[in-house]
Amino acid sequence: TFATLIQTREAGGTTVLAESQAKVLTNQAGTFRSRALFPFDGPRRAEFYELRLSGHATEAADAHAPGTVENLVVVEGALEIQIERPGGHAELHKLETGDAIVFEADVPHSYVNVGTKECVMYLVMTYAEASG
């Protein structure tokens, strides 16, 4: 059950996160899916996600809390990441399968699948302070 997924682990315990019971968020268009790969058992400084973006789709992300860092690796497909910087400057980075990027994510940013097939990514998000 979902309650099992979010219950607090005992110190030193092990948690298996069954794919069939995963917390998956999907955008309104159904082109972007984010699956949490960590238990929801309290505040943490880092979170781990599997992201899937349909071919030729774009997903815009709002700025995260100050000090938030994203570390993303593309495991299938190709991706462009646009990172908005103060003063209207934007960085554009193209990533191929196997490429990784680390960036400060406390500014708006977008993921753009430049290919026709689904792009699969793994993301570790690290916060400056514990989040709930």
Side-chain angles (χ1 to χ4, degrees), residues 28-123:
Q28 193 170 21
T31 57
F32 179 76
R33 292 184 345 188
S34 173
R35 176 171 63 117
L37 301 174
F38 59 94
F40 290 86
D41 61 356
R44 67 187 68 254
R45 286 203 58 225
E47 296 174 349
F48 182 38
Y49 295 92
E50 176 189 68
L51 307 179
R52 293 178 175 267
L53 185 60
S54 298
H56 297 297
T58 298
E59 178 66 16
D62 293 329
H64 299 294
T68 301
V69 173
E70 288 193 14
N71 185 347
L72 180 134
V73 60
V74 176
V75 294
E76 290 180 30
L79 182 75
E80 285 184 355
I81 295 183
Q82 182 170 329
I83 305 166
E84 302 298 327
R85 295 293 178 201
H89 171 70
E91 297 176 20
L92 184 63
H93 302 278
K94 185 168 183 181
L95 305 175
E96 301 289 339
T97 299
D99 291 344
I101 187 170
V102 178
F103 65 97
E104 296 171 353
D106 52 5
V107 294
H109 48 286
S110 298
Y111 309 96
V112 180
N113 184 340
V114 295
T116 57
K117 69 176 192 169
E118 180 178 67
C119 183
V120 180
M121 304 151 274
Y122 288 103
L123 169 70

